[in-house]
Every structure is written in C-alpha cells, then in structure tokens.
Amino acid sequence: MSPAPAWRVAVVAALPQTAPPLVEAVRRLGHTVPVVIGWRRPRAWPGHLLGEHDLPSGVDLVLPHTTAAVGGLLRAYAVDMAVSYGYPRRLPADAVHAPRHGIANCHPSALPAYRGPNPVGWAVRDGREAIGVTWHRMDEELDNGTVLAAAGMPLLSEDWSFTHVNDRVLSVALPLLPTVLDRLAADDPGDAQTGGPPSWAGFFEADYATIDWTRPAHQVHDQVRAWNIAGHHPRLDGPVGVIEGRPWKVRRTSLTAPGHGAGRRVECADGPVWVTAADPLTAR
C-alpha cells in the first residue's frame, strides 16, 4: 500500500491558544505546515500575543498588515490547503481561493446557528447547555460555507474563560481533522448547512454591558459568564454592576454561597447571587 500523500497546509489563526495546537495536529497527520498567518492585534489587546516562539521549528509566522495580503502570502508558500480557527477578520475571495484545495474553518457552533465572532458567548447568554463544533469550507461570507465535519460539545458550569472554552473546542475539533483534510484534498464540495435559519452572534451590545440586579439570579450569573467567555470587546468593557452605590466590573459570580465569608451577596429578583471576583471602577 502506498503511503498517504503529504500536503502543505497553512494555518490561519491569530491566538497562541489556537495556532500551536492546529500546527501540531496537522504535523502529526504527516503533513507540512510551512506558515502560520496571524494578525496584528490592537495595542489594547490583553494578554499574550502569538509570537514566533509559540511555534515549532520550521514554521514561519507572518503578520499581514491587511487581509488583502493574505492571498499572496498563501500562494507564495505554495500551500495545498489551509485550516483556520479564531481569525479576527473575514478573508477576501482572493485569499479564500489561494490554496488549490481551499480553506477549512472551525467555528464553535452548530452552523448556521450563531454565525459571527461571539458564538459561545451568545450560547451562554441564551442558556444553552451544549454547542456545536463545525468545520466548514471557507467562502467570501462569514461562517457561510458548506460543512466538512461536525460534532457536539456540552457547555459546563466550569466554562468561565475564553481560553478554557477554546481548549475544549479544540479537543473536539482536532480529531475531526483527518476527515476535514481528506475532503479538502478530494475537492469535496461539502454538505449544506441545515438545522434551521441562520442566526448572528455579534459582539454584545451596550445594554448588555450593565448588570440589572432585578433580573433572575441565573440570568445575572450567565451574563457574567457570557462576558468572560466572549473575551475582548473592541468597544465595551463589561459587565458592570453597581453594588452599594459603586460600579464594579464583575468577573465571577456564584449561585451558591462560597463559604468562609468569601464573596458579596447581592439580591436578585428570585434570590441571591454572590460576586466572588470584581474590579472597582470610577463612577460612570
């Protein structure tokens, strides 16, 4: 039996939580990753940015100034295909069609539900107990392409951070890669997105950045979780709650008493919630 073909696969990912696992997974399958296409993050972006030291030897990191340059970069590296997860910009048609077998994107929802940049945040906001993990062919529209592989993933009570959710999504997505790459290489058109009308999961709006303590406790708790999981917002800093006349950025809450005098009890419409982590803010 002849060995499986080895392909040149670019990774399109801007975060240190997503790019290295994708590179390692593709290489474990026997393929070459010549380049990671990252993105220049704003100066205000919190936390660690993807750097060359995050990637294994032999993998270049390129940070294009605009998405208009991505197609030329993919052609310059002569890649057969590309895989993407968590890239913060929609790629133009020139980039989408630059690899000869196309680009597969991982999206943490059961498409066409929750298209957009904040799918898990909205799933938590809506009280969902599970999400989908979908690999789809990338086209010129955001999260619109045909499905190559999909699975489900429960949302857990300990899902509190953007990083933790990404790790869990990748644990579901990476085992699907052999199917995804095989279908790309075969120029398989993929399957239509089904399951209902499309919905949009954009950045949270300004009204959702303020905590209304007169709402039910579980809604307040989910609001805080949703903002944590949504990660960086380019325009808003939330959620903010006023406690004893002072505004706080609330980072963590509990629906049960944490014990040992920890946390601050706040009464909601149907019972208390305990604020266990918050940062003081200047009055608005």
Side-chain angles (χ1 to χ4, degrees):
M1 179 181 295
S2 59
W7 301 308
R8 290 174 62 81
V9 183
V11 168
V12 182
L15 294 175
Q17 296 94 343
T18 56
L22 282 171
V23 170
E24 292 297 343
V26 171
R27 293 176 85 177
R28 282 197 301 269
L29 294 173
H31 308 303
T32 300
V33 180
V35 64
V36 170
I37 306 292
W39 185 252
R40 296 176 182 270
R41 289 288 180 170
R43 290 182 181 274
W45 181 264
H48 173 53
L49 305 182
L50 180 65
E52 291 180 357
H53 58 278
D54 295 308
L55 302 176
S57 176
V59 180
D60 291 344
L61 173 63
V62 180
L63 303 177
H65 181 62
T66 69
T67 55
V70 173
L73 290 167
L74 292 171
R75 283 188 293 272
Y77 279 91
V79 296
D80 299 301
M81 61 192 73
V83 294
S84 172
Y85 177 41
Y87 202 68
R89 295 290 186 273
R90 181 172 62 87
L91 296 183
D94 176 65
V96 168
H97 300 296
R100 66 191 182 101
H101 294 299
I103 303 177
N105 180 63
C106 178
H107 188 73
S109 81
L111 290 172
Y114 296 123
R115 292 174 177 171
N118 185 18
V120 186
W122 272 96
V124 171
R125 177 175 177 171
D126 290 343
R128 304 288 186 185
E129 295 182 352
I131 60 172
V133 176
T134 306
W135 283 101
H136 66 94
R137 275 192 173 274
M138 188 179 284
D139 63 16
E140 295 88 341
E141 301 299 324
L142 201 62
D143 305 322
N144 183 66
T146 54
V147 175
L148 298 169
M153 187 186 94
L155 284 173
L156 306 177
S157 59
E158 58 264 34
D159 287 333
W160 263 96
S161 73
F162 179 80
T163 299
H164 183 249
V165 169
N166 271 335
D167 289 345
R168 293 192 59 230
V169 168
L170 283 170
S171 73
V172 174
L174 295 183
L176 302 176
L177 264 182
T179 298
V180 171
L181 298 183
D182 284 347
R183 293 187 77 176
L184 282 178
D187 294 323
D188 187 323
D191 306 314
Q193 295 185 15
T194 59
S199 59
W200 181 251
F203 293 116
F204 291 142
E205 68 278 13
D207 287 350
Y208 198 60
T210 299
I211 297 174
D212 178 359
W213 302 108
T214 66
R215 298 169 65 212
H218 77 275
Q219 292 184 10
V220 171
H221 179 68
D222 284 347
Q223 181 179 7
V224 178
R225 286 183 67 219
W227 272 95
N228 272 269
I229 289 170
H232 177 68
H233 193 298
R235 294 175 299 278
L236 293 174
D237 194 23
V240 174
V242 176
I243 304 173
E244 296 180 359
R246 185 176 182 182
W248 297 78
K249 179 172 179 176
V250 180
R251 297 191 178 276
R252 190 139 186 162
T253 52
S254 174
L255 293 174
T256 57
H260 307 293
R264 182 178 299 224
R265 177 176 172 141
V266 181
E267 294 299 326
C268 298
D270 57 353
V273 66
W274 282 265
V275 177
T276 57
D279 298 329
L281 301 174
T282 55
R284 293 185 168 187

